Amino acid sequence: MSVRPRVRFQAEDIWQAPDDGRIYEVIDGELYVAPSPGTAHQRVCGNLYGYLWQYLRAYLRGEVFTAPLGVVLDAENAVQPDLVYVAHERAHIITERGIEGVPDLVVEVLSPSTEARDRGIKLRRYARAGVPHYWIVDPGQRTLEVYRLAEGGYMLVGRYGPGSFLRPELFPGLELSLDALWR
């Protein structure tokens, strides 16, 4: 019985992924495919993007991008987070085809098909790559978790839910009503 060799994908492979509405990512050389997100997911992404975009436009602190957008972390890791923030000081990693380097913030909005990956392999991969800030938004629970990179991985800084306000250290002066994310 012959054993088929295991295929290892490269980060560059995401640039040749089909344009079929699915999300293609390469994590530690493995290919992951997810269906396109639903409306609740997209609503939350759009609302959060709007708040961050307005803040960044006013304070000129960097740029925020929404998926689909390839983020190449290294030769074997390319992901498509829901939102990505790159500070002005790191603008050189923004290229015509995507982000080629480690962004300052990655945001993943949970979907039933991606929750385990977003809380598992992607959280660990972002930490190993050195992404300083990671947010997980859960539309089902109406929560936003803020993580900051510490020695050994991410440390939960805060979990925000209905009726609360997020004042992230990454964006001084920004106050975000969690209730407004779900509208």
Side-chain angles (χ1 to χ4, degrees):
M1 180 174 169
S2 68
V3 177
R4 291 191 348 189
R6 192 170 189 180
V7 175
R8 293 213 40 99
F9 290 87
Q10 296 295 308
E12 292 289 316
D13 293 332
I14 67 161
W15 308 125
Q16 284 78 45
D19 187 11
D20 60 5
R22 293 189 224 166
I23 298 166
Y24 291 85
E25 300 178 302
V26 175
I27 304 171
D28 294 330
E30 298 289 324
L31 179 65
Y32 292 85
V33 182
S36 64
T39 55
H41 177 281
Q42 292 300 82
R43 186 175 295 120
V44 171
C45 284
N47 288 341
L48 184 55
Y49 172 82
Y51 283 109
L52 294 178
W53 183 85
Q54 287 179 340
Y55 172 86
L56 294 170
R57 186 170 179 216
Y59 291 93
L60 303 173
R61 295 181 50 92
E63 289 188 76
V64 63
F65 300 91
T66 61
L69 177 73
V71 177
V72 174
L73 300 171
D74 59 42
E76 288 195 333
N77 291 282
V79 291
Q80 292 196 52
D82 294 306
L83 292 171
V84 179
Y85 163 68
V86 177
H88 274 306
E89 299 79 29
R90 301 188 31 74
H92 64 277
I93 68 171
I94 301 169
T95 68
E96 280 302 311
R97 60 185 189 173
I99 308 297
E100 299 188 53
V102 177
D104 296 276
L105 167 68
V106 168
V107 180
E108 295 287 4
V109 177
L110 301 180
S111 294
S113 64
T114 65
E115 180 173 3
R117 190 177 318 148
D118 292 339
R119 291 188 178 281
I121 192 169
K122 287 177 85 173
L123 180 139
R124 291 187 302 276
R125 170 43 54 204
Y126 291 144
R128 278 195 309 258
V131 176
H133 302 273
Y134 183 46
W135 296 358
I136 296 177
V137 181
D138 186 340
Q141 297 295 313
R142 295 190 171 204
T143 59
L144 189 153
E145 297 168 5
V146 174
Y147 294 88
R148 184 177 52 232
L149 190 59
E151 189 173 322
Y154 283 115
M155 173 183 70
L156 180 64
V157 174
R159 187 171 193 263
Y160 303 87
S164 63
F165 291 85
L166 171 62
R167 295 170 188 92
E169 68 179 71
L170 185 57
F171 305 114
L174 175 64
E175 181 176 276
L176 176 65
S177 163
L178 267 284
D179 293 337
L181 286 183
W182 322 120
R183 292 188 192 130

